[in-house]
Amino acid sequence: GAGVSQSPRYKVAKRGQDVALRCDPISGHVSLFWYQQALGQGPEFLTYFQNEAQLDKSGLPSDRFFAERPEGSVSTLKIQRTQQEDSAVYLCASSPKDWNHYEQYFGPGTRLTVT
Amino acid sequence: GDSVTQMEGPVTLSEEAFLTINCTYTATGYPSLFWYVQYPGEGLQLLLKATKADDKGSNKGFEATYRKETTSFHLEKGSVQVSDSAVYFCAPPQLDSSYKLIFGSGTRLLVRP
């Protein structure tokens, strides 16, 4: 079946603009994660959903970052008043409900460049 | 908190050479351990996993054994190919309710023909 998809793949924003990044997880996957990957670094956790509930948002760097998953499937990561330090690749991952399997399946990412 | 340490890259090898990428972690009791691979310009792909202590994960000629006594999960391949050039991440799940993955900075592998 289809994997995790993300859109847009690339986004250029002027400093101060708001952006919205979309994630379509694998159908039926209960868990959804957002990560931020700076150039040359490993991904860093941002937030986690189980169905529509946002159970962990400890990794969101500031209150300019907001994520939602209102119907328990598609998720949107919104960044308000973008800053240059927000430039990174934003990765979405989903994971099945079966807790014998903790692996996550990643989308291709959205590369955000703030100018 | 939990952390993972990988050997620094880049690792440069000739085709058909033996590969080892070391990975150690701080916590114990992980339910599973993973290696992910990121090919140039692509997203992260699950390379292999081990689901319990002493379990060996394998895929595409790569292997890694979950060593509880040494808290290690080293990645090995007997004969690398140019197409294996990528960044490799060892990623244990944090031991909390989310099981979010903990990534180090990754190890870049470059295989020359």
Side-chain angles (χ1 to χ4, degrees):
Chain A
V4 178
S5 60
Q6 293 185 247
S7 62
R9 291 292 312 275
Y10 303 91
K11 178 69 178 178
V12 179
K14 293 185 185 230
R15 192 161 62 97
Q17 284 185 331
D18 297 349
V19 299
L21 312 180
R22 177 188 169 106
C23 172
D24 284 82
I26 293 173
S27 178
H29 278 193
V30 170
S31 298
L32 186 145
F33 301 79
W34 284 97
Y35 294 84
Q36 181 190 59
Q37 186 175 22
L39 189 64
Q41 301 297 316
E44 292 192 357
F45 169 78
L46 293 176
T47 188
Y48 158 66
F49 290 86
Q50 184 170 316
N51 294 306
E52 69 278 5
Q54 188 176 19
L55 299 185
D56 188 343
K57 52 183 181 179
S58 61
L60 295 176
S62 77
D63 59 7
R64 296 185 296 105
F65 286 71
F66 172 76
E68 59 183 6
R69 194 186 184 198
E71 297 179 357
S73 57
V74 171
S75 177
T76 304
L77 176 67
K78 297 179 180 178
I79 309 173
Q80 298 176 325
R81 305 180 303 282
T82 53
Q83 303 295 316
Q84 283 195 316
E85 61 263 29
D86 300 335
S87 296
V89 176
Y90 290 86
L91 298 169
C92 175
S94 68
S95 185
K97 183 178 182 180
D98 182 353
W99 287 113
N100 289 325
H101 298 87
Y102 301 89
E103 64 267 28
Q104 297 177 22
Y105 298 90
F106 285 81
T110 295
R111 182 178 297 278
L112 173 65
T113 303
V114 181
T115 60
Chain B
D2 299 3
S3 66
V4 59
T5 302
Q6 284 183 238
M7 61 190 294
E8 291 285 331
V11 173
T12 303
L13 296 173
S14 297
E15 203 165 26
E16 299 184 1
F18 183 83
L19 169 70
T20 299
I21 299 178
N22 291 337
C23 169
T24 56
Y25 46 88
T26 55
T28 59
Y30 289 120
S32 301
L33 291 173
F34 308 107
W35 276 97
Y36 282 83
V37 59
Q38 191 167 37
Y39 297 102
E42 297 185 19
L44 282 162
Q45 298 177 23
L46 178 65
L47 177 60
L48 57 82
K49 66 178 181 180
T51 56
K52 57 184 184 294
D54 298 323
D55 186 28
K56 177 188 284 188
S58 60
N59 185 30
K60 299 181 181 179
F62 290 89
E63 295 182 338
T65 300
Y66 181 168
R67 300 284 187 198
K68 189 175 180 180
E69 64 277 7
T70 56
T71 62
S72 65
F73 192 51
H74 304 323
L75 182 69
E76 296 181 336
K77 186 174 185 181
S79 176
V80 293
Q81 306 300 312
V82 172
S83 57
D84 293 327
S85 297
V87 180
Y88 293 81
F89 294 94
C90 177
Q94 184 153 322
L95 296 174
D96 61 17
S97 59
S98 72
Y99 294 100
K100 52 184 166 284
L101 297 177
I102 306 164
F103 290 91
S105 54
T107 302
R108 181 175 298 278
L109 170 66
L110 177 60
V111 181
R112 300 191 185 279

